[in-house]
Each structure stands twice: as C-alpha cells, then as structure tokens.
C-alpha cells in the first residue's frame, strides 16, 4: 500500500493544498481498500495461527469419536457429495448453456423464461434450498436424511452457476470458428462438440471449480437434507455430514474450540486452493 | 441417420435447458403447498404482525424475525456499501497494477470463504467485544456482502466511458473529484444493482448470523440486543419441530422466499433498464 503513496503523496500534497475534499476522498478510498484486504488477511492469519498447532494426527483418524473429533469421515462425505453433485449438474448445465448460446433463436420466448428462472435460482438463499430439499427429497421421495438428498439439493443449487459460466465461455469462442466449421460442411452437432466446446473448456472448468467451492462451503442447505451423521457415508442413502457442517457442529457445541480452529484451517486451505485454481484457469482464457 | 442424431441431440439440449424451469416450479410448489395452509390456519395477519413466537403455546408471530432480518440487513448495508463502493473506485481508478494483482484475488477469496468460517470468526473475535447481538451480525454480514458490492460496482464504474473522466479533468477538476462527481454518478444504476445483490445475500445468510446473533425471539430494542432472522428461525427449530410448528417454519420460508423474489425482480428490472 505504501509503494504508490511514496511517489504521489508529496506531489499530491502540493497540488491539493487548497482542495480538502479531494484529500478526504482519496484517504477514504485508500482506507476502504485497506480495510477490505486487512479483514481478509486478519481472518486467514488468525485462523491459521490458532489452528495449525491443533492439527494433530488424531484429527485425521479414520473413525470419528467424541474424543478425537476426526474430520476424515466429513472430508470423505464432502468428496462424495461434491463428486456426485458435479456428475449430475455439469452435463445438465453445459447442455443448457449449449442450447441457450448455440441453438436458441433470437427472441425465442422460452429463452427468456429460462434466463429468468436461472437468475431466480441463483438468488435463492441456501436455507430455502435446504427447506425444499427436506420437503421434496427427504419427505416426498422418502430418501430420508441422506447424502443422496443433500447431493441432489446441492445439484440444483449449483446449476445456475454452471450454466452462467459455460454460457460466458461459449460466447467468448469467436464466430469465425463456427462459420469455418459450417463452411467445411460439418453439422451443428459436430461443430458444437468438436469446434466450439474444446476452446471453452478452461472457462467451463473455472466455473466447475467455483461450484466445487460453493459445495464445500455449504452448510445451511445440508443440515436438514444430508443430516449430521458422523460416519463416512459410503452408502449414499445414509446420513453424513460434510466438512462445513462438521465445522459448524463442532463450534456450536462449544467444547471443541481447538478442533474447530484446526478444521477451519483445513476448510480454508481447500477453499483457497480451489480459488487459486479457478482464477488460474480464468487467466488462461483471457490469454488464449 | 445424422439428421436424426441432430434432431435428438437438439431435443436433449432443450430438455436440459428446461431443468431450471422445472426446478423453480418444484421449489415454488413444495414451499407454497406446505407453507400456505399454516398461514391460513394461523391467520395471515396474526402470522405476519404477531410479536410473539411461542411454539409450545401454538403462538406463531414472525414480526420479530421480519424486523430482525430487515435491521441486520440494513446494518450490513450501512457499513458494507460505502466501503465496497470506495474499494471499487480504488480498483477502477486509483490502483496501480501491482496492487490490483493482490486486491482482485483477495476480493475473490473473500467471496469464497464459507459462511461457517465467517460465523466462527465472529464467534471468537467479535462476540467477546460486541456480544451476541444485532451489531455483531451486521458487522459479519457487512464483510460477507463486500465481494458482491465490490465486484458489481467495479464493473459498472469501468463501463463508464473514459471521456467522462477526461472531460472533468480537462475542466480543472482533481482526479478524485472527476471520479466521484462524474464517473460514479454515471455508474449509479450499476452500483445500485450491486447493492441490491448485497441485500439479497445479507437477507438470505443463515449460518454466520445464527452463530453470532444470539437468536432471541424478542424484537430487538438496541444494537446490542440479540436478534433472530427469518433464515435462522428456520435453521434453529426445523430439527425438532412437529405438526403446526413445522408448517409455521415452512411458512417462514415462504415469507423469506417472497422477500427474495421481490429483491430479484427489482434487481433484474434495474439490469433491464441499464441495458436499454
């Protein structure tokens, strides 16, 4: 933060001697940005410092007991949930986006409806998804509190994200690619799969990773769909908590603050890693 | 043969695209079908304006939660929006490239941190200072809406033609004046969309609020009183609620859902006006 000021502060002071408003605005701008960055660093560094000393081998034991508070089962459940939800939603989302970008004709009414519903879905809070998942999957379809119920709920939740990022990725493929492909006599389907989708892959992947981040961080939608079972749900019809749920339950009990810090570290490392990967891929598109 | 394939795949794409329509219909149907009967049974007026929430006596008034949601969200907006807009202005007009390379990922990471982590952080750092209170919840939410406000505002500010800024400079305004009195007013509807997005985030947040807000069912009298929002009301009691109590919670979800729909619709109206 200091580096820029060194160069300009002296000149600015001279220039702005009789312009207090400008100085106030400048300091507010710098202050606000500093607050934004400092809050993030404070949260992360505080949790790392408090949490890393409590990362012990017992935290990673294969079975959870109330003594070791192992997070391994929750980690496995997070992995299962993420993999299944992506498996369902990624193809659906990509196909939706392909329809919207490549197939739908301009002014098509259904496109407007699809856009509107997708926007609506992306604005619905996770607790409403949780409520819906409970009413529909848990009660109506009789799936009970299970990883499957949770997964299906999250699959709907990340759908708008996948559609939107895929749409953007497809739109960034130049039209000349499509024209070239049609010009050589390829059909629409072949053009989509062989010509348009491949260069869009990094953009789609960055969306998929963002969606993974949302699944890993989700709690409210899972409490009453996946339930809070402490075992690894190798059988997805059984209840099982994910890492975020585990983190919430640990900290709300009040007895396991140390373990909560350690779990928070693991969660932050996963989320930060996903974030970095996503922006790396996003950069790749703007370059290529 | 290949013509068939084209037709079939085209149909599949269309079908996939309809999933979101089906999802919205299902969500609306299940929420309303399970929530409306309870509202009818309790009485819509009693339900929305009742100040007591005592499930053990079958008294269900959600006015405290409606007010709680509004207060907490307003607090988050008052604290978060100025910081967000100033930061967005910094990113668009003040920031050297080197700092941008840190700031942008930092904002993205802020958006990616799970709400339980925010809640936990609030629990261990803020609650000892400001208690389980409305203030604490507003502070945490203010941080949580920052990325939405910053992201949308930055895009809006950057979309204003450079000539506005240059014109102001040429008339002798300082850099700051040019940005804040010509560029930002021109970007105001975009910034407003960011604020509305932030309102949606804040009103829908559950976990972080639940962990720091104290969750008392009384209407909060001051910033330091505990508060319960619509979201947390559902999350706290859904685990053990039965019969009418359970339906009343679903009805709480219906009210929240209607709130969110209104916010979404106004958001897309703003967007449409911008595009025209």
């Amino acid at each position: 933060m200091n580096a820029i000021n060194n160069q300009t502060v002296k000149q600015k002071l001279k220039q702005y001697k009789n312009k207090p408003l400008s100085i106030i605005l400048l300091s507010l701008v710098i202050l606000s940005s500093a607050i934004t960055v400092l809050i993030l660093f404070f949260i992360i560094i505080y949790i790392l410092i408090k949490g890393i000393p409590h990362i012990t081998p017992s935290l990673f034991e294969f079975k959870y007991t109330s003594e070791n508070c192992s997070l391994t089962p929750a980690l496995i459940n997070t992995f299962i949930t993420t993999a299944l939800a992506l498996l369902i939603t990624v193809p659906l989302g990509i196909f939706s986006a392909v329809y919207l970008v490549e197939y739908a004709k301009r002014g098509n009414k259904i496109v407007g409806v699809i856009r509107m519903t997708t926007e609506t879905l992306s604005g619905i809070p996770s607790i409403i998804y949780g409520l819906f998942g409970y009413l529909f999957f848990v009660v109506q379809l009789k799936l009970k509190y299970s990883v499957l119920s949770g997964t299906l709920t999250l699959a709907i939740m990340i759908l708008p994200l996948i559609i939107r990022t895929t749409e953007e990725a497809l739109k960034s493929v130049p039209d000349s690619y499509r024209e070239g492909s049609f010009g050589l006599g390829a059909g629409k389907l072949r053009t989509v799969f062989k010509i348009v989708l491949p260069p869009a892959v990094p953009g789609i992947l960055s969306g998929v990773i963002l969606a993974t981040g949302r699944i890993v961080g989700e709690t409210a939608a899972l409490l009453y769909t996946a339930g809070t079972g402490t075992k690894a749900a190798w059988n997805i019809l059984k209840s099982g908590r994910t890492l975020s749920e585990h983190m919430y339950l640990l900290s709300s009990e009040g007895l396991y603050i140390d373990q909560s810090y350690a779990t928070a570290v693991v969660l932050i490392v996963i989320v930060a890693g996903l974030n970095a990967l996503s922006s790396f891929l996003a950069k790749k598109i703007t370059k290529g | 043969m290949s013509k068939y394939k084209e037709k079939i795949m085209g149909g599949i794409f269309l079908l996939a695209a309809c999933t979101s329509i089906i999802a919205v219909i299902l969500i609306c149907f299940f929420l309303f079908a399970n929530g409306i009967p309870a509202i009818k049974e309790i009485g819509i007026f009693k339900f929305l304006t009742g100040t007591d929430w005592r499930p053990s006596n079958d008294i269900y008034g959600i006015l405290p939660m409606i007010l709680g949601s509004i207060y907490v969200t307003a607090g988050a907006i008052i604290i978060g929006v100025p910081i967000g807009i100033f930061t967005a202005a910094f990113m668009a007009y003040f920031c050297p490239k080197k700092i941008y390379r840190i700031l942008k990922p930092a904002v993205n990471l802020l958006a990616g941190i799970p709400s339980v982590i925010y809640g936990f952080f609030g629990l261990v750092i803020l609650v000892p200072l400001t208690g389980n209170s409305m203030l604490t919840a507003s502070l945490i939410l203010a941080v949580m809406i920052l990325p939405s406000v910053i992201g949308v505002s930055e895009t809006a500010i950057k979309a204003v033609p450079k000539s506005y800024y240059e014109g102001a400079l040429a008339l002798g305004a300082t850099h700051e004046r040019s940005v804040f009195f010509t560029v930002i007013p021109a970007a105001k509807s975009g910034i407003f969309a960011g604020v509305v997005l932030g309102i949606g985030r804040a009103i829908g947040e559950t976990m972080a609020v639940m962990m720091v807000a104290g969750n008392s069912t009384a209407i909060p009298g001051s910033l330091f009183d505990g508060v319960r929002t619509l979201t947390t009301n559902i999350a706290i009691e859904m685990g053990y609620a039965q019969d009418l109590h359970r339906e009343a919670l679903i009805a709480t979800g219906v009210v929240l859902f209607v709130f969110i729909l209104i916010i979404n619709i106004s958001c897309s109206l703003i967007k449409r006006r911008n595009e025209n």
Side-chain angles (χ1 to χ4, degrees):
Chain A
M1 199 88 349
N2 282 326
I4 38 155
N5 298 341
N6 285 343
Q7 286 188 336
T8 53
V9 156
K10 252 188 204 163
Q11 299 161 333
K12 276 217 161 117
L13 279 181
K14 237 187 225 167
Q15 259 176 324
Y16 295 167
K17 223 173 192 176
N18 300 318
K19 286 160 184 152
L21 182 68
S22 297
I23 295 179
I24 293 171
L25 285 175
L26 179 67
S27 34
L28 279 176
V29 162
I30 292 175
L31 186 74
S32 301
S33 321
I35 289 176
T36 306
V37 176
L38 288 180
I39 289 174
L40 174 74
F41 285 164
F42 183 51
I43 293 177
I44 290 180
I45 290 170
Y46 184 83
I47 285 176
L48 287 184
I49 288 176
K50 285 277 203 171
I52 287 175
H54 297 292
I55 294 187
T56 52
S58 72
L59 210 60
F60 295 96
E61 268 170 39
F62 202 66
K63 277 225 164 84
Y64 170 96
T65 63
S66 55
E67 275 108 57
N68 65 17
C69 293
S70 166
L71 55 78
T72 312
L75 202 59
I76 293 169
N77 289 338
T78 308
F79 186 74
I80 295 173
T81 307
T82 310
L84 283 180
L86 290 179
L87 206 67
I88 297 167
T89 305
V90 170
L92 263 180
I94 292 178
F95 282 7
S96 299
V98 165
Y99 179 78
L100 289 173
V101 179
E102 308 290 334
Y103 278 77
K105 293 191 180 71
R106 225 166 251 260
N108 188 340
K109 270 207 180 119
I110 203 165
V111 174
V113 179
I114 292 167
R115 286 254 148 76
M116 200 184 70
T117 49
T118 316
E119 257 171 49
T120 309
L121 281 182
S122 71
I124 294 177
S126 47
I127 186 73
I128 298 280
Y129 279 110
L131 210 50
F132 165 72
Y134 171 78
L135 293 171
F136 186 55
F137 298 120
V138 176
V139 177
Q140 189 71 31
L141 299 185
K142 301 194 173 66
L143 293 174
K144 303 211 176 85
Y145 284 153
S146 66
V147 168
L148 184 62
S149 299
T151 303
L152 292 170
T153 308
L154 292 188
I156 300 175
M157 202 178 85
I158 60 168
L159 181 64
L161 184 62
I162 303 275
I163 293 180
R164 209 193 57 230
T165 45
T166 308
E167 255 191 283
E168 270 159 30
L170 290 176
K171 276 181 191 159
S172 72
V173 177
D175 269 341
S176 55
Y177 281 38
R178 299 179 180 89
E179 285 153 12
S181 172
F182 290 140
L184 289 172
K188 187 134 206 172
L189 202 57
R190 189 185 275 256
T191 306
V192 167
F193 278 106
K194 295 263 155 105
I195 305 296
V196 180
L197 274 176
V201 163
I204 298 172
L205 264 185
S206 110
V208 169
I209 292 163
L210 273 185
T212 309
R214 273 202 76 183
I215 297 173
V216 170
E218 189 49 56
T219 312
L222 288 172
L223 280 175
Y224 301 118
T225 53
T228 54
T230 55
K231 290 199 182 107
W234 294 114
N235 175 357
I236 57 169
L237 292 173
K238 289 260 166 63
S239 163
R241 53 171 77 167
T242 65
L243 199 55
S244 285
E245 282 186 280
H246 181 65
M247 159 94 212
Y248 165 67
L249 293 160
L250 271 188
S251 59
S252 69
E253 277 168 44
L255 297 168
Y256 307 106
I257 290 298
D258 292 343
Q259 288 90 335
S260 301
Y261 277 117
T263 312
V265 171
V266 176
L267 208 50
I268 281 192
V269 168
I270 294 174
V271 168
L274 288 172
N275 232 288
L277 199 61
S278 168
S279 51
F280 169 75
L281 284 166
K283 234 173 245 163
K284 229 177 166 184
I285 330 169
T286 47
K287 266 185 199 158
Chain B
M1 181 64 204
S2 80
K3 248 191 183 167
Y4 271 127
K5 219 164 129 195
E6 294 272 348
K7 277 243 163 89
I8 291 170
M9 279 311 282
I12 289 177
F13 290 143
L14 175 62
L15 220 61
C18 290
T19 330
S20 50
I21 302 179
I22 298 166
V24 169
I25 293 173
L26 275 178
I27 291 173
C28 287
F29 176 76
F30 273 88
L31 273 185
F32 287 119
N34 285 285
I36 301 269
I39 297 182
K40 262 192 196 147
E41 193 174 334
I42 299 160
I44 182 157
F45 192 70
K46 254 190 179 167
F47 183 63
L48 290 177
T49 60
T51 53
D52 280 323
W53 177 269
R54 267 178 293 166
S56 48
N57 301 350
D58 262 353
I59 299 174
Y60 304 100
I62 58 163
L63 187 65
M65 293 77 170
I66 294 178
L67 288 178
S69 281
I70 293 174
Y71 289 165
V72 167
T73 304
I77 295 296
I78 291 169
I79 304 164
V81 165
I83 297 181
I85 293 176
F86 279 121
T87 307
F90 181 76
M91 290 171 84
Y93 271 92
F94 291 82
C95 186
K97 263 200 178 145
K98 260 189 195 161
I99 295 184
Y100 191 81
R101 252 180 254 142
I102 305 171
L103 202 53
K104 188 73 187 171
V107 172
N108 285 342
L109 187 54
L110 214 50
I113 291 181
S115 45
V116 272
I117 301 265
Y118 281 111
F120 181 63
F121 180 78
L123 194 68
V124 292
I125 292 285
L126 287 177
V127 168
L129 300 172
T130 52
N132 281 311
S133 65
M134 217 158 77
L135 180 63
T136 316
S138 290
L139 284 171
I140 287 292
L141 283 179
V143 178
M144 294 182 73
I145 64 167
L146 268 182
S148 326
V149 176
I150 294 175
V152 178
S153 304
E154 190 202 348
T155 317
I157 292 173
K158 280 189 172 163
V160 175
K162 260 276 192 292
S163 54
Y164 283 48
Y165 168 75
E166 285 157 359
L169 269 193
L171 289 173
T174 60
H175 176 64
E176 289 77 16
R177 253 180 195 277
S178 312
V179 172
F180 281 94
F181 292 95
T182 57
V183 178
I184 290 189
K188 69 169 184 280
S189 57
I191 293 175
F192 192 61
V195 174
V196 175
L197 187 67
I199 293 176
R201 283 281 140 77
I203 227 167
E205 178 51 44
T206 314
M207 302 315 292
V209 176
M210 186 153 87
M211 290 163 87
V212 301
N215 304 322
S216 71
T217 57
I219 295 177
S222 85
L223 276 177
F224 297 97
D225 284 353
V227 65
R228 183 183 285 203
T229 63
L230 291 168
T231 52
T232 50
N233 193 36
I234 304 166
I236 291 168
E237 297 185 1
M238 201 61 201
Y240 59 84
Q242 300 287 333
D243 309 325
L244 186 60
H245 182 195
R246 182 172 151 261
E247 281 168 39
L249 291 175
I250 298 163
T252 312
V254 171
V255 174
L256 175 65
F257 190 57
V258 170
F259 268 49
I260 291 287
L261 283 184
I262 293 171
I263 292 169
N264 275 355
I265 289 168
S266 43
C267 199
S268 51
L269 282 182
I270 298 168
K271 247 192 223 158
R272 203 158 297 159
R273 220 180 54 187
N274 287 357
E275 277 161 15
N276 292 340

